[in-house]
Amino acid sequence: MKAIKLVNKTKIFLNPQPPYNFNANFHKPSHFPSSDNRWEENQYWITMLWKGRMLGLKFENKGRVDKPKIQLTVYSKKKLGEKYFLGILPEIRWRFNFDQDISSFCGKYKNDEFLKEAIKKWEGMKPIAAHSLYGTLIIYFVLQNAAVRRSVQMLENLFNKFGKKVEFDGKALSIFWEPKDMAKASEANLRELKVGYRAKFFKRLSEQFTNKEIDEFALRKKNKEEVEKEILNIFGVGPASAEYLLFEDMYFLDALKTVPPWEQKIMSKLLFDQKLVSTQKIVNFFKKRYGGYEKLAFHYIWENLFWKRKKVHIGWLEKEIRL
DNA sequence: CATCAGGGCCCTG
DNA sequence: CAGGGCCCTGAT
C-alpha cells in the first residue's frame, strides 16, 4: 500500500491540567501495539480521521509533570483552515485527557503501601482514549477471546483492507477507515481477515455509526450508569468491554466491578502473594482502600508492573501473559 | 493426531 | 440464569 504524504504542518503549544505525565499517558505498556501510533520517549505520533480529513498528530513533551507543556504538530495533506484547526483542539484535549484533575488522588495516596512506588514514578498518569469511540470499539472487539499476537494480526488485517497508510514526520502509520467503508463490506469479506465470529460485530458496529445510532459526544456528557447501559446495547459489547470502556475511554475512575481471569492471576500475586484470589476479594480491596478511585488505583499498579517488565525480566509475569 | 481454553458475547430454553 | 456455539491459535 502506498503511503499518502501529509506535508502541511500546523503547530500549537498546549497545557494540560497538572499533574500530567507525558510518557505514562501517551504510552501504556500493557496495551498491544497498533500501527496507527508510535511512542518514543517524550514523543508520540498518531493518525486521526476527523471530519473527512486524514491527519497526522505529533506530540512533543516540552514541560514537566507539575508544569505540563506539549507541542502539537498537526500534519495534513492541504493547509488547514483556522476554524477546522480550532475545532479539533477540544477533541484532542478529550482524547488525551488533558483536563481531568487527578491531583487529589496522587496527593492522597503518595505514601500508600501499594501505590507509593507507582505514584513516585508515574504521577500524573491517567486513562487515555487516544482513538475515536468507533476505533476503540474495533480494538476491543479484536481483543476478545484472543491472545496478543492474534489481536495484533486481526487489527493489522483490518487496517490493510479498510484503512490507509499515511506518512508524516518520517513515520508511515495506518489510519482508521470511515465506518461507512466497512458497513458496505459483506460478512464473508470480513471473515477472510480471520476475525472469526467478530465479523458480524464489525459490520453491525459500522452500520450503527454510519446511521448515527451511536453518538459519542452525547455519551460523554452522561453519567456512568447511563453510559454503561447504552454501550451494553451495542452489539458485541458485553460486561468486559463495557468496563474497559468506562475507565479507559470515558474516564470514570471508579469503574471497577469485575477482573478478567489473567488480570486476576496477576493481581492475586501482586497484592496477596497468592496463586488465585477471588475476583470479588480483589474488587473489594480496591473499593475499600481507594473508594472513588478504585480503577485508577488498579491502573497505577498495573501499568507500573508493565513498565518494569520493559526493563527487567519478571518470570512469573511472563507465564501469565499470552503472547 | 485430537482436544481445549482463551484478555467474551449472543442467543436459546 | 445456565450453557452451548463461535473464529482461530498455541499448549498439551
Side-chain angles (χ1 to χ4, degrees):
Chain A
M1 200 186 317
K2 201 162 173 282
I4 298 156
K5 289 191 165 58
L6 307 177
V7 293
N8 199 273
K9 288 189 248 183
T10 315
K11 291 187 180 218
I12 191 168
F13 280 101
L14 299 170
N15 298 93
Q17 166 77 38
Y20 193 90
N21 191 309
F22 186 96
N23 289 306
N25 286 337
F26 285 92
H27 181 58
K28 302 292 183 187
S30 79
H31 290 186
F32 74 81
S34 159
S35 64
D36 76 326
N37 69 80
R38 182 172 173 78
W39 169 81
E40 287 169 18
E41 181 101 30
N42 294 323
Q43 297 184 84
Y44 179 80
W45 299 260
I46 189 169
T47 59
M48 178 178 182
L49 193 55
W50 184 250
K51 300 203 184 302
R53 302 180 72 161
M54 290 182 288
L55 305 174
L57 310 181
K58 181 187 188 185
F59 297 85
E60 292 169 90
N61 187 11
K62 303 284 185 187
R64 303 190 313 250
V65 169
D66 59 338
K67 210 179 168 200
K69 186 178 180 186
I70 292 173
Q71 180 162 45
L72 167 69
T73 309
V74 180
Y75 290 80
S76 53
K77 221 159 128 180
K78 291 180 188 161
K79 192 166 160 50
L80 299 176
E82 190 184 349
K83 202 175 154 199
Y84 177 94
F85 183 70
L86 293 178
I88 46 172
L89 295 181
E91 183 61 15
I92 287 170
R93 294 193 78 90
W94 169 269
R95 289 196 191 184
F96 297 94
N97 204 354
F98 279 7
D99 297 307
Q100 189 172 33
D101 186 356
I102 56 158
S103 55
S104 63
F105 168 82
C106 294
K108 189 169 175 189
Y109 298 110
K110 66 173 186 287
N111 295 317
D112 178 83
E113 182 188 344
F114 295 92
L115 289 182
K116 61 185 175 195
E117 180 188 305
I119 291 180
K120 194 171 162 63
K121 289 184 183 162
W122 310 113
E123 182 178 7
M125 174 165 66
K126 304 176 181 185
I128 300 292
H131 297 95
S132 68
L133 180 62
Y134 176 73
T136 299
L137 287 168
I138 297 282
I139 292 168
Y140 286 166
F141 288 170
V142 305
L143 218 58
Q144 293 174 192
N145 249 317
V148 174
R149 186 182 302 164
R150 187 155 129 74
S151 296
V152 171
Q153 185 209 35
M154 284 189 272
L155 188 61
E156 293 313 309
N157 286 350
L158 293 170
F159 273 136
N160 289 336
K161 174 89 176 177
F162 296 100
K164 293 188 169 70
K165 279 268 192 251
V166 295
E167 193 180 320
F168 64 102
D169 197 41
K171 312 275 172 203
L173 297 175
S174 303
I175 185 162
F176 270 96
W177 51 93
E178 298 279 8
K180 63 175 161 48
D181 300 334
M182 183 176 263
K184 282 185 294 199
S186 69
E187 195 184 319
N189 275 170
L190 282 159
R191 276 181 181 268
E192 286 168 14
L193 306 175
K194 302 197 183 291
V195 297
Y197 66 89
R198 302 168 191 80
K200 208 184 299 172
F201 296 178
F202 293 133
K203 186 156 172 63
R204 297 255 306 246
L205 183 74
S206 300
E207 286 165 355
Q208 289 185 80
F209 271 91
T210 306
N211 301 334
K212 302 196 188 307
E213 290 165 41
I214 302 170
D215 183 347
E216 165 166 26
F217 307 100
L219 217 47
R220 289 178 194 169
K221 297 196 176 78
K222 300 189 173 176
N223 69 35
K224 189 172 67 166
E225 288 69 30
E226 290 171 324
V227 174
E228 183 178 26
K229 201 175 146 210
E230 283 199 34
I231 57 183
L232 281 171
N233 270 331
I234 300 171
F235 191 85
V237 174
S241 306
E243 192 163 306
Y244 281 132
L245 205 88
L246 284 178
F247 175 69
E248 302 247 10
D249 307 282
M250 304 303 284
Y251 307 147
F252 292 104
L253 306 179
D254 61 346
L256 180 68
K257 288 204 284 205
T258 58
V259 183
W262 75 299
E263 297 185 9
Q264 180 191 4
K265 289 175 201 158
I266 292 169
M267 280 300 181
S268 298
K269 169 84 179 165
L270 267 187
L271 303 176
F272 304 98
D273 196 25
Q274 287 177 38
K275 199 153 190 287
L276 199 64
V277 169
S278 76
T279 57
Q280 203 38 249
K281 193 171 168 183
I282 296 171
V283 169
N284 288 343
F285 169 86
F286 281 102
K287 279 205 180 308
K288 192 161 173 225
R289 204 173 173 101
Y290 310 107
Y293 292 114
E294 45 267 56
K295 184 68 185 207
L296 186 63
F298 191 112
H299 186 64
Y300 269 70
I301 293 173
W302 189 254
E303 294 300 328
N304 183 41
L305 177 67
F306 281 84
W307 275 108
K308 270 192 220 169
R309 175 176 176 258
K310 288 170 86 84
K311 288 192 180 153
V312 297
H313 180 81
I314 308 172
W316 65 267
L317 179 60
E318 294 308 309
K319 282 189 293 192
E320 304 299 353
I321 300 173
R322 301 174 52 245
L323 302 170

Short mmCIF file of all heavy atoms in Angstrom, two decimals, chain A residues 192-236:
data_model
loop_
_atom_site.label_atom_id
_atom_site.label_comp_id
_atom_site.label_asym_id
_atom_site.label_seq_id
_atom_site.Cartn_x
_atom_site.Cartn_y
_atom_site.Cartn_z
N GLU A 192 -12.76 -13.22 5.88
CA GLU A 192 -11.49 -13.53 5.20
C GLU A 192 -10.30 -12.95 5.96
O GLU A 192 -9.17 -13.39 5.79
CB GLU A 192 -11.48 -12.94 3.78
CG GLU A 192 -12.36 -13.70 2.80
CD GLU A 192 -12.55 -12.93 1.49
OE1 GLU A 192 -11.79 -11.97 1.26
OE2 GLU A 192 -13.46 -13.30 0.74
N LEU A 193 -10.57 -11.97 6.77
CA LEU A 193 -9.49 -11.33 7.53
C LEU A 193 -9.20 -12.05 8.84
O LEU A 193 -8.51 -11.53 9.71
CB LEU A 193 -9.83 -9.86 7.79
CG LEU A 193 -10.18 -9.07 6.53
CD1 LEU A 193 -10.62 -7.66 6.88
CD2 LEU A 193 -9.00 -9.03 5.57
N LYS A 194 -9.77 -13.24 8.97
CA LYS A 194 -9.51 -14.10 10.14
C LYS A 194 -9.92 -13.45 11.45
O LYS A 194 -9.20 -13.52 12.45
CB LYS A 194 -8.03 -14.50 10.19
CG LYS A 194 -7.57 -15.23 8.94
CD LYS A 194 -6.28 -15.95 9.18
CE LYS A 194 -5.77 -16.63 7.93
NZ LYS A 194 -6.63 -17.77 7.55
N VAL A 195 -11.08 -12.82 11.39
CA VAL A 195 -11.58 -12.21 12.62
C VAL A 195 -12.68 -13.07 13.26
O VAL A 195 -13.18 -12.74 14.33
CB VAL A 195 -12.13 -10.79 12.38
CG1 VAL A 195 -11.02 -9.88 11.90
CG2 VAL A 195 -13.27 -10.80 11.38
N GLY A 196 -13.03 -14.17 12.58
CA GLY A 196 -13.97 -15.11 13.17
C GLY A 196 -15.35 -14.54 13.42
O GLY A 196 -15.87 -13.76 12.63
N TYR A 197 -15.91 -14.92 14.57
CA TYR A 197 -17.29 -14.52 14.90
C TYR A 197 -17.42 -13.01 15.02
O TYR A 197 -18.54 -12.48 15.03
CB TYR A 197 -17.72 -15.19 16.20
CG TYR A 197 -16.97 -14.73 17.43
CD1 TYR A 197 -17.41 -13.63 18.16
CD2 TYR A 197 -15.80 -15.37 17.86
CE1 TYR A 197 -16.73 -13.19 19.28
CE2 TYR A 197 -15.11 -14.93 18.97
CZ TYR A 197 -15.57 -13.84 19.68
OH TYR A 197 -14.89 -13.39 20.78
N ARG A 198 -16.29 -12.30 15.13
CA ARG A 198 -16.34 -10.84 15.29
C ARG A 198 -16.79 -10.13 14.00
O ARG A 198 -17.16 -8.96 14.05
CB ARG A 198 -14.97 -10.31 15.69
CG ARG A 198 -14.44 -10.90 16.97
CD ARG A 198 -12.98 -10.58 17.17
NE ARG A 198 -12.42 -11.38 18.27
CZ ARG A 198 -12.05 -12.64 18.14
NH1 ARG A 198 -12.14 -13.25 16.98
NH2 ARG A 198 -11.59 -13.30 19.17
N ALA A 199 -16.75 -10.82 12.87
CA ALA A 199 -17.12 -10.21 11.59
C ALA A 199 -18.48 -9.53 11.70
O ALA A 199 -18.66 -8.39 11.26
CB ALA A 199 -17.13 -11.27 10.50
N LYS A 200 -19.42 -10.23 12.31
CA LYS A 200 -20.76 -9.69 12.48
C LYS A 200 -20.74 -8.44 13.36
O LYS A 200 -21.46 -7.47 13.11
CB LYS A 200 -21.62 -10.77 13.15
CG LYS A 200 -23.08 -10.70 12.82
CD LYS A 200 -23.87 -11.73 13.61
CE LYS A 200 -23.43 -13.17 13.29
NZ LYS A 200 -24.06 -14.16 14.19
N PHE A 201 -19.90 -8.45 14.38
CA PHE A 201 -19.80 -7.29 15.28
C PHE A 201 -19.32 -6.06 14.49
O PHE A 201 -19.86 -4.97 14.63
CB PHE A 201 -18.80 -7.53 16.42
CG PHE A 201 -19.16 -8.64 17.39
CD1 PHE A 201 -18.30 -8.95 18.43
CD2 PHE A 201 -20.35 -9.35 17.28
CE1 PHE A 201 -18.61 -9.95 19.33
CE2 PHE A 201 -20.66 -10.35 18.19
CZ PHE A 201 -19.77 -10.66 19.21
N PHE A 202 -18.27 -6.26 13.70
CA PHE A 202 -17.70 -5.13 12.94
C PHE A 202 -18.73 -4.53 12.01
O PHE A 202 -18.85 -3.33 11.87
CB PHE A 202 -16.49 -5.59 12.12
CG PHE A 202 -15.31 -5.99 12.96
CD1 PHE A 202 -14.63 -7.16 12.70
CD2 PHE A 202 -14.88 -5.19 14.00
CE1 PHE A 202 -13.54 -7.54 13.48
CE2 PHE A 202 -13.79 -5.55 14.79
CZ PHE A 202 -13.12 -6.75 14.52
N LYS A 203 -19.44 -5.42 11.34
CA LYS A 203 -20.42 -4.95 10.37
C LYS A 203 -21.54 -4.16 11.05
O LYS A 203 -21.86 -3.05 10.65
CB LYS A 203 -20.97 -6.13 9.57
CG LYS A 203 -21.89 -5.71 8.44
CD LYS A 203 -21.96 -6.74 7.33
CE LYS A 203 -23.04 -6.36 6.34
NZ LYS A 203 -22.76 -5.08 5.65
N ARG A 204 -22.10 -4.76 12.08
CA ARG A 204 -23.19 -4.08 12.79
C ARG A 204 -22.71 -2.77 13.42
O ARG A 204 -23.44 -1.77 13.41
CB ARG A 204 -23.78 -5.00 13.88
CG ARG A 204 -24.41 -6.27 13.34
CD ARG A 204 -25.95 -6.27 13.36
NE ARG A 204 -26.56 -6.00 14.63
CZ ARG A 204 -27.29 -6.88 15.33
NH1 ARG A 204 -27.44 -8.10 14.88
NH2 ARG A 204 -27.88 -6.53 16.44
N LEU A 205 -21.51 -2.78 13.99
CA LEU A 205 -20.97 -1.57 14.61
C LEU A 205 -20.82 -0.46 13.56
O LEU A 205 -21.21 0.69 13.78
CB LEU A 205 -19.60 -1.86 15.23
CG LEU A 205 -18.96 -0.68 15.98
CD1 LEU A 205 -19.67 -0.45 17.31
CD2 LEU A 205 -17.48 -0.89 16.19
N SER A 206 -20.27 -0.83 12.42
CA SER A 206 -20.06 0.16 11.34
C SER A 206 -21.39 0.71 10.85
O SER A 206 -21.51 1.90 10.56
CB SER A 206 -19.29 -0.48 10.19
OG SER A 206 -18.04 -0.94 10.66
N GLU A 207 -22.38 -0.16 10.77
CA GLU A 207 -23.71 0.30 10.36
C GLU A 207 -24.29 1.28 11.37
O GLU A 207 -24.85 2.31 11.01
CB GLU A 207 -24.64 -0.91 10.18
CG GLU A 207 -24.33 -1.70 8.91
CD GLU A 207 -24.98 -3.08 8.90
OE1 GLU A 207 -25.61 -3.48 9.91
OE2 GLU A 207 -24.86 -3.79 7.88
N GLN A 208 -24.14 0.92 12.64
CA GLN A 208 -24.69 1.79 13.68
C GLN A 208 -24.04 3.17 13.68
O GLN A 208 -24.71 4.18 13.89
CB GLN A 208 -24.55 1.15 15.06
CG GLN A 208 -25.46 -0.05 15.26
CD GLN A 208 -25.37 -0.60 16.68
OE1 GLN A 208 -25.95 -0.07 17.60
NE2 GLN A 208 -24.60 -1.66 16.84
N PHE A 209 -22.74 3.21 13.44
CA PHE A 209 -22.07 4.53 13.39
C PHE A 209 -22.46 5.28 12.12
O PHE A 209 -22.66 6.49 12.14
CB PHE A 209 -20.55 4.37 13.49
CG PHE A 209 -20.06 4.38 14.91
CD1 PHE A 209 -19.94 3.20 15.62
CD2 PHE A 209 -19.74 5.57 15.54
CE1 PHE A 209 -19.50 3.20 16.94
CE2 PHE A 209 -19.30 5.59 16.87
CZ PHE A 209 -19.18 4.39 17.57
N THR A 210 -22.57 4.55 11.02
CA THR A 210 -22.97 5.20 9.77
C THR A 210 -24.37 5.81 9.90
O THR A 210 -24.61 6.91 9.42
CB THR A 210 -22.97 4.17 8.62
OG1 THR A 210 -21.68 3.54 8.59
CG2 THR A 210 -23.23 4.83 7.28
N ASN A 211 -25.24 5.10 10.58
CA ASN A 211 -26.61 5.59 10.75
C ASN A 211 -26.76 6.55 11.93
O ASN A 211 -27.87 6.90 12.30
CB ASN A 211 -27.57 4.41 10.96
CG ASN A 211 -27.54 3.46 9.79
OD1 ASN A 211 -27.23 3.85 8.67
ND2 ASN A 211 -27.85 2.20 10.04
N LYS A 212 -25.64 6.90 12.51
CA LYS A 212 -25.63 7.83 13.66
C LYS A 212 -26.51 7.35 14.81
O LYS A 212 -27.15 8.13 15.51
CB LYS A 212 -26.06 9.24 13.22
CG LYS A 212 -25.16 9.80 12.12
CD LYS A 212 -25.34 11.29 11.97
CE LYS A 212 -24.62 11.86 10.75
NZ LYS A 212 -23.20 11.52 10.69
N GLU A 213 -26.51 6.04 15.02
CA GLU A 213 -27.26 5.49 16.15
C GLU A 213 -26.45 5.58 17.43
O GLU A 213 -26.99 5.44 18.53
CB GLU A 213 -27.62 4.02 15.88
CG GLU A 213 -28.67 3.84 14.80
CD GLU A 213 -28.74 2.41 14.31
OE1 GLU A 213 -28.65 1.49 15.13
OE2 GLU A 213 -28.88 2.21 13.09
N ILE A 214 -25.16 5.77 17.29
CA ILE A 214 -24.31 5.94 18.47
C ILE A 214 -23.71 7.33 18.39
O ILE A 214 -23.07 7.70 17.41
CB ILE A 214 -23.17 4.90 18.48
CG1 ILE A 214 -23.76 3.47 18.45
CG2 ILE A 214 -22.29 5.09 19.71
CD1 ILE A 214 -22.72 2.39 18.23
N ASP A 215 -23.95 8.12 19.44
CA ASP A 215 -23.43 9.49 19.47
C ASP A 215 -22.39 9.62 20.58
O ASP A 215 -22.71 9.77 21.75
CB ASP A 215 -24.58 10.49 19.69
CG ASP A 215 -24.09 11.94 19.66
OD1 ASP A 215 -22.86 12.17 19.70
OD2 ASP A 215 -24.94 12.84 19.60
N GLU A 216 -21.16 9.53 20.15
CA GLU A 216 -20.04 9.57 21.08
C GLU A 216 -20.04 10.83 21.94
O GLU A 216 -19.75 10.79 23.14
CB GLU A 216 -18.75 9.49 20.26
CG GLU A 216 -17.52 9.87 21.02
CD GLU A 216 -16.23 9.48 20.32
OE1 GLU A 216 -16.21 9.36 19.08
OE2 GLU A 216 -15.24 9.30 21.04
N PHE A 217 -20.40 11.95 21.32
CA PHE A 217 -20.30 13.23 22.03
C PHE A 217 -21.40 13.40 23.06
O PHE A 217 -21.19 13.95 24.13
CB PHE A 217 -20.27 14.37 21.01
CG PHE A 217 -19.18 14.14 19.98
CD1 PHE A 217 -19.48 13.63 18.74
CD2 PHE A 217 -17.86 14.37 20.32
CE1 PHE A 217 -18.48 13.36 17.82
CE2 PHE A 217 -16.85 14.10 19.42
CZ PHE A 217 -17.15 13.60 18.16
N ALA A 218 -22.58 12.86 22.75
CA ALA A 218 -23.67 12.88 23.72
C ALA A 218 -23.33 11.95 24.89
O ALA A 218 -23.60 12.26 26.05
CB ALA A 218 -24.97 12.43 23.06
N LEU A 219 -22.71 10.84 24.56
CA LEU A 219 -22.34 9.84 25.57
C LEU A 219 -21.40 10.44 26.63
O LEU A 219 -21.52 10.15 27.82
CB LEU A 219 -21.65 8.69 24.85
CG LEU A 219 -21.88 7.25 25.31
CD1 LEU A 219 -23.35 6.95 25.53
CD2 LEU A 219 -21.29 6.29 24.30
N ARG A 220 -20.50 11.29 26.16
CA ARG A 220 -19.50 11.86 27.08
C ARG A 220 -20.12 12.75 28.15
O ARG A 220 -19.49 13.05 29.14
CB ARG A 220 -18.48 12.70 26.30
CG ARG A 220 -17.55 11.88 25.45
CD ARG A 220 -16.62 12.80 24.69
NE ARG A 220 -15.92 12.08 23.63
CZ ARG A 220 -15.21 12.67 22.68
NH1 ARG A 220 -15.09 13.99 22.67
NH2 ARG A 220 -14.60 11.97 21.75
N LYS A 221 -21.34 13.19 27.91
CA LYS A 221 -21.99 14.09 28.88
C LYS A 221 -22.81 13.33 29.91
O LYS A 221 -23.33 13.92 30.84
CB LYS A 221 -22.91 15.07 28.13
CG LYS A 221 -22.16 15.99 27.17
CD LYS A 221 -23.05 17.16 26.79
CE LYS A 221 -22.33 18.18 25.92
NZ LYS A 221 -22.21 17.73 24.51
N LYS A 222 -22.93 12.02 29.73
CA LYS A 222 -23.82 11.25 30.62
C LYS A 222 -23.08 10.67 31.81
O LYS A 222 -21.86 10.60 31.83
CB LYS A 222 -24.48 10.14 29.81
CG LYS A 222 -25.30 10.71 28.67
CD LYS A 222 -26.15 9.70 27.97
CE LYS A 222 -27.05 10.46 26.99
NZ LYS A 222 -27.85 9.59 26.17
N ASN A 223 -23.85 10.23 32.80
CA ASN A 223 -23.21 9.63 33.97
C ASN A 223 -22.89 8.16 33.72
O ASN A 223 -23.29 7.58 32.72
CB ASN A 223 -24.07 9.83 35.24
CG ASN A 223 -25.36 9.04 35.20
OD1 ASN A 223 -25.40 7.92 34.67
ND2 ASN A 223 -26.42 9.60 35.73
N LYS A 224 -22.16 7.59 34.65
CA LYS A 224 -21.61 6.25 34.46
C LYS A 224 -22.68 5.21 34.17
O LYS A 224 -22.53 4.40 33.25
CB LYS A 224 -20.80 5.85 35.70
CG LYS A 224 -20.01 4.58 35.51
CD LYS A 224 -19.07 4.30 36.68
CE LYS A 224 -19.82 3.99 37.94
NZ LYS A 224 -18.96 3.39 38.99
N GLU A 225 -23.74 5.24 34.93
CA GLU A 225 -24.79 4.23 34.76
C GLU A 225 -25.46 4.36 33.39
O GLU A 225 -25.74 3.35 32.74
CB GLU A 225 -25.84 4.35 35.87
CG GLU A 225 -25.35 3.89 37.24
CD GLU A 225 -24.28 4.80 37.86
OE1 GLU A 225 -24.29 6.02 37.58
OE2 GLU A 225 -23.42 4.28 38.61
N GLU A 226 -25.69 5.59 32.97
CA GLU A 226 -26.31 5.79 31.65
C GLU A 226 -25.37 5.33 30.53
O GLU A 226 -25.81 4.66 29.58
CB GLU A 226 -26.63 7.28 31.44
CG GLU A 226 -27.76 7.80 32.31
CD GLU A 226 -27.91 9.32 32.24
OE1 GLU A 226 -26.89 10.03 32.12
OE2 GLU A 226 -29.05 9.79 32.28
N VAL A 227 -24.11 5.69 30.66
CA VAL A 227 -23.14 5.29 29.63
C VAL A 227 -23.06 3.77 29.56
O VAL A 227 -23.12 3.17 28.48
CB VAL A 227 -21.73 5.86 29.93
CG1 VAL A 227 -20.71 5.32 28.94
CG2 VAL A 227 -21.75 7.38 29.89
N GLU A 228 -22.97 3.14 30.72
CA GLU A 228 -22.86 1.69 30.75
C GLU A 228 -24.05 1.03 30.07
O GLU A 228 -23.90 0.12 29.25
CB GLU A 228 -22.74 1.21 32.20
CG GLU A 228 -22.54 -0.29 32.29
CD GLU A 228 -22.37 -0.78 33.72
OE1 GLU A 228 -22.86 -0.10 34.65
OE2 GLU A 228 -21.75 -1.84 33.89
N LYS A 229 -25.23 1.53 30.40
CA LYS A 229 -26.45 0.97 29.82
C LYS A 229 -26.43 1.10 28.30
O LYS A 229 -26.75 0.16 27.56
CB LYS A 229 -27.65 1.71 30.41
CG LYS A 229 -28.95 0.94 30.31
CD LYS A 229 -30.08 1.67 31.03
CE LYS A 229 -31.38 1.42 30.29
NZ LYS A 229 -32.32 2.53 30.40
N GLU A 230 -26.03 2.27 27.82
CA GLU A 230 -26.04 2.49 26.37
C GLU A 230 -25.01 1.65 25.63
O GLU A 230 -25.29 1.11 24.57
CB GLU A 230 -25.81 3.97 26.06
CG GLU A 230 -27.07 4.79 26.29
CD GLU A 230 -27.02 6.13 25.57
OE1 GLU A 230 -26.42 6.20 24.47
OE2 GLU A 230 -27.58 7.10 26.12
N ILE A 231 -23.81 1.56 26.21
CA ILE A 231 -22.80 0.80 25.47
C ILE A 231 -23.06 -0.70 25.51
O ILE A 231 -22.69 -1.42 24.59
CB ILE A 231 -21.36 1.13 25.94
CG1 ILE A 231 -21.18 0.87 27.41
CG2 ILE A 231 -21.00 2.56 25.58
CD1 ILE A 231 -19.80 1.26 27.93
N LEU A 232 -23.72 -1.17 26.57
CA LEU A 232 -24.05 -2.59 26.62
C LEU A 232 -25.08 -2.95 25.54
O LEU A 232 -25.24 -4.11 25.19
CB LEU A 232 -24.58 -2.98 28.01
CG LEU A 232 -23.50 -3.17 29.08
CD1 LEU A 232 -24.12 -3.34 30.45
CD2 LEU A 232 -22.59 -4.34 28.75
N ASN A 233 -25.76 -1.93 25.04
CA ASN A 233 -26.71 -2.16 23.95
C ASN A 233 -26.03 -2.34 22.60
O ASN A 233 -26.66 -2.79 21.65
CB ASN A 233 -27.68 -0.99 23.85
CG ASN A 233 -28.90 -1.21 24.72
OD1 ASN A 233 -29.29 -2.36 24.94
ND2 ASN A 233 -29.47 -0.14 25.21
N ILE A 234 -24.78 -1.96 22.51
CA ILE A 234 -24.05 -2.11 21.25
C ILE A 234 -23.77 -3.59 21.03
O ILE A 234 -23.25 -4.26 21.93
CB ILE A 234 -22.73 -1.30 21.27
CG1 ILE A 234 -23.04 0.19 21.47
CG2 ILE A 234 -21.94 -1.54 20.00
CD1 ILE A 234 -21.79 1.03 21.72
N PHE A 235 -24.12 -4.08 19.88
CA PHE A 235 -23.92 -5.48 19.55
C PHE A 235 -22.42 -5.80 19.57
O PHE A 235 -21.64 -5.15 18.86
CB PHE A 235 -24.51 -5.75 18.16
CG PHE A 235 -24.59 -7.20 17.81
CD1 PHE A 235 -25.68 -7.95 18.21
CD2 PHE A 235 -23.58 -7.80 17.09
CE1 PHE A 235 -25.76 -9.30 17.89
CE2 PHE A 235 -23.66 -9.14 16.77
CZ PHE A 235 -24.75 -9.90 17.17
N GLY A 236 -22.05 -6.75 20.40
CA GLY A 236 -20.65 -7.10 20.51
C GLY A 236 -19.98 -6.58 21.78
O GLY A 236 -18.86 -6.95 22.09
#
